[in-house]
Amino acid sequence: MRTKDDKKIEAIYKASLDLIYSVWISWITMSSIASQSGIATWTLYIYFKNKNILLNSLFTELQKDNSMSKIQDNSSLSAYNQLFKIWEQSMNFRIISPKKVLFLESFPKSKYISRENAEIKISDYLFLIDLIEQLKKEQKIRDMDGAMVVALWVWFIRQYSLTIDNNSENNNKDIINNSFDFFWQAIKK
């Protein structure tokens, strides 16, 4: 049995993201993914038995690079600095990878997500809520419901990332710093 070619898997993932960016997840087919990635449909089925498996595999792969997952092992930073690092990484991820962001945000709401992947997505927010609870204990932020702060976080990140210019690194740093400061002012004690 031949081993699976990593370059083909990358092409399949890229084709899937390209298609999802242009049409809704439900509308793409294994045939359209194969065509977009330049491989035969039967070859795609060798790699992934169906669209559910392919999309969940893509989600798992992208989730590995998700900003909250990356920072979780950095407990040497203060809770405030961890929060800023997650903010900074989230904003930069949105600048660099809009197709990945769209998929990571829309896939959990689709009928295709596996229970395991749904739990992974929830664990990211639980990590953020834990950081918020730690900041409350340190009396650095107001006593607000953690889920409410996460909702505010998500809204701020989405809205501010729309103002980012892919060609202006210095201006983006200012936007990232200023937007975090604005978020922090909204929750600090």
Side-chain angles (χ1 to χ4, degrees), residues 34-59:
S35 177
Q36 181 82 12
S37 61
I39 62 172
T41 303
W42 63 267
T43 302
L44 180 57
Y45 280 103
I46 291 171
Y47 285 80
F48 302 98
K49 292 184 191 274
N50 58 48
K51 185 168 91 170
N52 284 9
I53 292 172
L54 188 160
L55 294 176
N56 276 286
S57 177
L58 174 58
F59 183 84

Side-chain angles (χ1 to χ4, degrees), residues 62 146 168 184:
L62 294 179
S168 178
W184 183 254

Side-chain angles (χ1 to χ4, degrees), residues 58-138:
L58 174 58
F59 183 84
T60 301
E61 196 60 35
L62 294 179
Q63 199 59 25
K64 290 177 187 175
D65 293 331
N66 187 311
S67 59
M68 285 185 243
S69 301
K70 281 178 156 179
I71 195 77
Q72 287 184 23
D73 62 353
N74 204 345
S75 58
S76 62
L77 295 175
S78 70
Y80 173 86
N81 286 333
Q82 286 183 61
L83 199 63
F84 175 75
K85 277 288 188 198
I86 294 171
W87 184 277
E88 183 179 46
Q89 289 173 353
S90 295
M91 292 289 277
N92 283 323
F93 185 65
R94 285 178 165 280
I95 296 166
I96 296 166
S97 309
K99 291 178 183 179
K100 291 177 181 178
V101 168
L102 175 68
F103 177 72
L104 287 170
E105 288 184 352
S106 61
F107 184 65
K109 300 170 193 144
S110 77
K111 65 181 180 181
Y112 303 104
I113 191 161
S114 68
R115 176 173 286 171
E116 295 82 20
N117 277 334
E119 290 171 1
I120 288 170
K121 190 67 180 169
I122 289 168
S123 72
D124 268 351
Y125 290 119
L126 293 177
F127 174 73
L128 192 53
I129 288 172
D130 287 346
L131 264 181
I132 291 162
E133 293 303 318
Q134 184 179 341
L135 288 163
K136 282 198 283 191
K137 283 180 189 169
E138 295 171 4

